[in-house]
Structure formats: C-alpha cells, structure tokens
Amino acid sequence: MSTTATATTPYNYAYLDEQTKRMIRRAILKAIAIPGYQVPFASREMPMPYGWGTGGVQVTASIIGPTDTLKVIDQGSDDTTNAVSIRKFFQKTAAVAVTTSTSAATIIQTRHRIPETPLTAGQVLVFQVPTPEPLRFLEPRETETRKMHALAEYGLMHVKLYEDIAKHGRIAKTYDYPTMVAGRYLMAPSPTPKFDNPKMHRSPALQLFGAGREKRIYAVPPHTDVVSLDFDDYPFEVNKFDRPCALCGAENVYLDEVILDDRGGRMFVCSDTDHCETRRAEGHRGEILGQEETRA
Amino acid sequence: MTIDDQPLLSARGISKMYGQHVGCTDVSFDLFAGEVLAVVGESGSGKSTLLSVLSTRLEPTGGAVSYRMRDGTMRDVFALNEAERRLLMRTDWGFVHQDAREGLRMGISAGGNVGERLMAVGSRHYGEIRSTALDWLGRVEIDLTRVDDAPKTFSGGMRQRLQIARNLVTQPRLVFMDEPTGGLDVSVQARLLDLLRGLVADLGLAVIIVTHDLAVARLLSHRIMVMRAGRVIETGLTDQVLDDPREPYTQLLVSSVLQV
Ligand SMILES: [Zn+2]
C-alpha cells in the first residue's frame, strides 16, 4: 500500500488521504474480527454521488495497492456506466491493473452479484451496500436495533419471513435475503440476489461490505458460515431458472432477461458477462448462438 | 413449605421519585401464583408508576422486586442482566397496554403478532406457529379469517383481544395490565372483561391490573390495593374492601362509583 501521490493526479494514492485509509482499515479489521457486525466509520465524500457505491469505493481505496488487479461489476456486468466509472477512477487514482476476468482479479468490487466463477483464497470481494441494517424496515429505532444485535434477538426477522409466507405462500424475498453470519450476527447481503447467498457460505475469499451513506462496514472472513434464514417447513431456496443461458448454454447460473425486439422477442442470458464470455471462448454454445452457427 | 406457598412476585419498600416529586413510595406486597391483584386509585395516585417499576420498565429509587423464575429460584428482577430481563418479559411475563398500539405491531398480521413471541424463543416451523396463532385467535374470539389482516384494520375491542393473545401465547405466569378496558365502549368492555376473567381462571394466571374503574377490579381481582398520593392506603380482599371500606378515601372512591 503506497503512500506516494502519483504524478498524474493531484490526489493521494487511491484518492483518500492516508489518515482516512488508516481509519477505514481499522474499521475493516474490527469487522473481520467480529464477522457480520456492522462497524461504524467516518464515511468521506467521494467524487461520485451516494448510490454509486461510495462505501465500496472507500473500502477498495483503503485496501488497494499497485500490485493489485481490480475487477468492477454492476449487476454482474463489467460494462455498465457505474462499473466503468469506478474502474476508471481506480485506474486514474491508484494506477492499478484492471481486468474483467474473475480469476485474474485480486480485488473485485461489486454491486448486486457474486461472480459465477468460484472465488479463491487471497481474493477480496468488496460489496457496495445501500442498506446495511437488516432490521431497519421492521424496527426503525437505531437504539433498539443495536440492542437486538447485541442480544442476538432476531425473532422479528422471522416475523417478516412469516408474513411473506402468509401473504404469498412462500418467502417472497429474492434479494437482500437475510443471513446469519458465524451463527451470531444477522446480516443483510443487500442488494445481492438470494441466488448468490450460498456463494458467501464458507467462501475462501474475504468478503467486505461498505455502506457509504449509512457509514457502516462489515465483513465475512474466509471460510465463515453464512446461513440464510428460513423455516423448517419452508426451507431456503435459490432463485430457479427453467432454462440455460441462451448465449453460452450455462445451467444453474443467474440469468437476466434481454429484450430482443419490440415484438416481444426476448432471451435469458448470464448476468455474469465474464462468465458467459469465458464459456463461449471455450466453445460452449447456447440456443441462439447455436442456431446462428448452423445458419452460417 | 411447597413451592406454591412461596410468592410468585414479592415487592418490598418500592419507591420511585421524580426529583422532589413522589411517584410512589414504600409499597410492599406479595403476589401468589394464580392471584389477581387490582391496584386502584385516581390519576396521579402512583398506580401506573408502580406498575412500570414492577414490570421493570422503570428503575425504582428504592426497594426491591423479586420474582420466582420458572426454575424455582427467587431473583431480584433489577439484578437480572438485560438478556435475562428481556427473555423474562417475552416468555414468563405479559404486558397488556391500555393503548393497543403500544402492545401490537400495527402493520404486521394478527397471526404474525401472535407468533412473534414463539419465533423470538426459537420456533422455526411455520405450520406450527400458524396453528398456534389460530388457536389463540379462537380463544380470544377473533374470527379466524382475520388471521392475515393487520390490527390497524381491527376495532378497539379486537385489538385488545389480539394484544392479550399475543401475550398469552408463551403461557406466561404473570401478566401486567394497564387499564386494559380504558377507552372502550361499555358493551365492548363487558365482553372483554368476561373473556379476561375466563382466561385468567382457565390458565391460572397471576395478574397485576391497574385500573381507575372499581367495577373492573370487582369483576377480575381477588385482592385490591388502594393508592393515594403514591402510597398504599388500604389493602385486602376485593369484596371486603369494596363492600366495607375502612379508609375515608376508599369510602369516597366507592361511593363515587356508586353514583355513576
Ligand atoms: Zn452465458
């Protein structure tokens, strides 16, 4: 972690000054020591609006160094405006190598998705979190939610799941699905789809969560239990897709719907664009590409 | 001496000062399992302050409250740690508020309101939680088709009955009630009192009920404590005290009720 300002910018390395980075690193270390516990930190103004991942950006800025390789994804894609601007930000301020390849990255900053390619030891996944407090919409009083965490009183979260089943016949929550971390702290994986919850469980990678507006950092250290809440008779289930990716034929991956034309034509493709491209490069073909190839 | 010869709750020399102002002072009594104690008095008599202290919602300035836990040990309720105290409050104790909005989650379904305590103590089977909730809605005479409706759509009487079900689902041994019939129409009050009397007898509940309404005390309680200016001025069996009050102030209270 370099302390030198780069010649090309007037900013300190990775934009934040060293004192701020030390403060954030202390919060990260505390978060790692108490898995799932929300550590308050003095969130700084970043040159991008809240909702653009300022919490994740501050976490990444505090841990990144010149030898790192950064990947940034938004809804699984490396190419959205948000992902591109954050990637450029670190290229400019931290002179860091960037990649779209999950396996080549040392730090992956994400909003929404966890890559399909399994993460490995030594990698760090940084989540941009809008709403870190899983109990917020059930109990608006901060003093009370803090007490509930301190005493591990999480019955209210099950009341919410009960309400879902009573109303919809199943637990309707499809993202930000509540989890228990290391059997102790209730954690919001906001806004990650529940499809990715099992990927958090005992992951060999370090998972860090930064909420800029709410000024909270929390963490799941490598190989930590992350268990999705459920009922014995309504067990947790991931989102199911009844078809493979139209482009690469991958099954059991998270799919996005893509509108093809204004006559109702549509297809379902991997939301993880790197995963899809890698598979196609390896020769996998989905329904649509398969058809094109036979025509060609 | 068997365990039921020991009080369930024991208060000794309870006082609560608000600065120079007396909330209540030097209140002592024993409450036994299955016993209903009414605390009566006018507003400002200290009865609500006393209830808040007994239920650990307020720290007393002096005195002690001990409670016989489910394992049989007498514990000073103010020496419990917060986790123990909160567990006690949502398992072996209940609290029925005058304003049901303080005791219910108004945006959560009736079933969810009743099921919350079960989930808080670890129930993780939806079907069982729901059937227990339905059973309790039936016992408090709420139409079972309303199980998925939120109490904000309920009448005042229904809200009170739901609040009672929500408290009783963990089979507490002691329930605190703060003017549970206050603000309800007379006919609704009568039905609620009738229901309460039946439940208290069936379940063998101990109750400490605060009321300004001597008719409520007469109907529900075995014993009565009359409070004035923060002190207990008369105590005894409810019928005896109400039929033959010794203290002039109690006589006044009783006669003013008769005039109503
Ligand atoms: Zn694909």
Side-chain angles (χ1 to χ4, degrees):
Chain A
M1 298 181 188
S2 164
T3 55
T4 52
T6 59
T8 51
T9 75
Y11 308 114
N12 190 40
Y13 181 79
Y15 186 78
L16 293 174
D17 62 81
E18 291 306 307
Q19 199 184 344
T20 299
K21 284 195 237 172
R22 271 197 297 276
M23 176 270 292
I24 293 174
R25 285 176 203 142
R26 276 197 294 271
I28 292 171
L29 287 173
K30 183 170 179 181
I32 292 169
I34 316 170
Y37 173 75
Q38 298 168 50
V39 181
F41 79 109
S43 182
R44 293 297 146 93
E45 291 290 327
M46 296 300 285
M48 58 195 75
Y50 287 125
W52 279 65
T54 56
V57 167
Q58 289 177 81
V59 168
T60 298
S62 304
I63 61 170
I64 205 164
T67 58
D68 276 310
T69 303
L70 178 70
K71 171 181 166 76
V72 182
I73 48 173
D74 177 15
Q75 306 271 350
S77 166
D78 298 86
D79 304 327
T80 68
T81 316
N82 188 308
V84 169
S85 77
I86 292 173
R87 194 162 62 229
K88 278 192 180 145
F89 174 78
F90 283 112
Q91 271 181 300
K92 190 173 154 208
T93 63
V96 73
V98 295
T99 182
T100 58
S101 159
T102 296
S103 41
T106 57
I107 299 173
I108 302 168
Q109 181 169 331
T110 180
R111 188 174 80 93
H112 195 251
R113 288 299 319 283
I114 296 176
E116 305 288 1
T117 307
L119 300 181
T120 54
Q123 288 185 304
V124 183
L125 185 60
V126 177
F127 295 78
Q128 304 166 204
V129 174
T131 42
E133 178 48 70
L135 299 163
R136 176 65 64 239
F137 296 108
L138 300 165
E139 176 52 71
R141 291 168 297 178
E142 170 81 21
T143 49
E144 191 63 18
T145 55
R146 231 183 270 163
K147 199 169 281 179
M148 291 158 95
H149 283 297
L151 300 173
E153 275 183 14
Y154 296 134
L156 197 53
M157 197 73 238
H158 268 93
V159 173
K160 168 75 180 79
L161 301 182
Y162 170 95
E163 292 289 285
D164 259 20
I165 300 172
K167 282 199 181 69
H168 310 288
R170 65 195 160 80
I171 298 173
K173 224 165 174 17
T174 54
Y175 64 92
D176 196 16
Y177 190 105
T179 58
M180 281 296 286
V181 177
R184 176 58 184 84
Y185 282 100
L186 182 68
M187 185 185 83
S190 133
T192 302
K194 69 175 180 178
F195 183 86
D196 289 335
N197 277 17
K199 297 193 181 100
M200 298 181 186
H201 182 54
R202 298 182 184 171
S203 169
L206 169 63
Q207 301 173 79
L208 301 176
F209 300 76
R213 192 180 46 226
E214 304 262 342
K215 304 179 170 59
R216 292 288 186 278
I217 287 171
Y218 49 103
V220 175
H223 309 291
T224 302
D225 282 359
V226 179
V227 178
S228 302
L229 299 192
D230 60 5
F231 288 99
D232 298 344
D233 47 345
Y234 285 84
F236 171 79
E237 284 178 345
V238 296
N239 327 44
K240 286 220 173 65
F241 300 93
D242 55 4
R243 68 195 83 199
C245 170
L247 294 177
C248 77
E251 299 193 42
N252 304 317
V253 294
Y254 193 84
L255 300 178
D256 283 338
E257 185 178 352
V258 177
I259 306 294
L260 292 174
D261 51 47
D262 54 10
R263 298 183 306 279
R266 56 195 191 137
M267 63 175 179
F268 288 86
V269 300
C270 292
S271 106
D272 183 337
T273 50
D274 167 62
H275 185 70
C276 202
E277 280 159 19
T278 305
R279 280 180 53 86
R280 277 181 274 150
E282 288 165 0
H284 295 283
R285 288 289 177 269
E287 194 188 3
I288 285 189
L289 294 184
Q291 284 165 358
E292 280 175 1
E293 282 200 341
T294 43
R295 254 184 274 135
Chain B
M1 191 157 133
T2 70
I3 200 155
D4 280 329
D5 297 328
Q6 293 171 15
L8 185 63
L9 180 139
S10 184
R12 288 292 174 270
I14 298 296
S15 66
K16 175 66 187 176
M17 301 293 294
Y18 300 102
Q20 292 300 304
H21 177 75
V22 176
C24 64
T25 186
D26 199 25
V27 179
S28 299
F29 67 92
D30 287 332
L31 180 79
F32 290 84
E35 189 179 25
V36 180
L37 171 70
V39 183
V40 302
E42 296 173 293
S43 95
S45 63
K47 59 187 193 303
S48 294
T49 297
L50 177 64
L51 192 73
S52 296
V53 171
L54 295 171
S55 59
T56 72
R57 280 163 170 75
L58 267 184
E59 284 254 10
T61 315
V65 178
S66 48
Y67 182 74
R68 177 153 52 85
M69 308 294 276
R70 284 187 177 182
D71 66 5
T73 59
M74 284 304 275
R75 299 283 301 274
D76 174 351
V77 295
F78 293 102
L80 298 175
N81 66 40
E82 178 137 40
E84 291 175 317
R85 193 177 62 82
R86 285 170 72 109
L87 184 67
L88 177 67
M89 289 175 80
R90 63 167 187 249
T91 54
D92 211 23
W93 286 7
F95 197 108
V96 177
H97 297 263
Q98 174 175 2
D99 183 349
R101 285 172 299 188
E102 287 176 40
L104 294 173
R105 295 193 187 276
M106 297 305 283
I108 297 282
S109 72
N113 265 286
V114 178
E116 179 172 350
R117 276 179 166 225
L118 298 174
M119 292 179 251
V121 295
S123 287
R124 293 292 178 262
H125 193 284
Y126 174 85
E128 285 169 12
I129 293 162
R130 190 169 177 84
S131 65
T132 307
L134 283 167
D135 178 47
W136 272 102
L137 291 184
R139 291 173 84 165
V140 298
E141 300 167 9
I142 289 175
D143 181 352
L144 300 190
T145 63
R146 304 298 301 273
V147 62
D148 294 329
D149 295 342
K152 60 187 173 196
T153 68
F154 286 8
S155 69
M158 281 172 74
R159 287 179 187 181
Q160 277 317 48
R161 282 180 274 133
L162 180 61
Q163 202 190 169
I164 290 160
R166 171 177 159 88
N167 274 281
L168 296 186
V169 69
T170 50
Q171 299 173 321
R173 291 182 301 160
L174 172 59
V175 178
F176 301 95
M177 297 185 187
D178 185 11
E179 305 273 11
T181 59
L184 298 175
D185 292 342
V186 175
S187 64
V188 176
Q189 276 193 29
R191 183 179 174 193
L192 185 65
L193 283 170
D194 199 41
L195 178 81
L196 270 178
R197 194 159 65 156
L199 285 171
V200 166
D202 288 351
L203 302 168
L205 284 178
V207 176
I208 299 177
I209 179 169
V210 157
T211 180
H212 69 281
D213 186 341
L214 298 190
V216 170
R218 165 119 42 201
L219 206 62
L220 283 183
S221 69
H222 307 114
R223 276 201 304 143
I224 196 167
M225 284 197 325
V226 183
M227 290 189 72
R228 186 190 188 191
R231 291 181 179 278
V232 175
I233 58 159
E234 184 161 4
T235 179
L237 295 175
T238 302
D239 288 342
Q240 278 177 18
V241 170
L242 294 184
D243 292 341
D244 186 19
R246 280 173 301 157
E247 291 292 322
Y249 178 76
T250 313
Q251 290 165 6
L252 211 65
L253 272 185
V254 171
S255 63
S256 68
V257 151
L258 293 178
Q259 282 162 14
V260 169

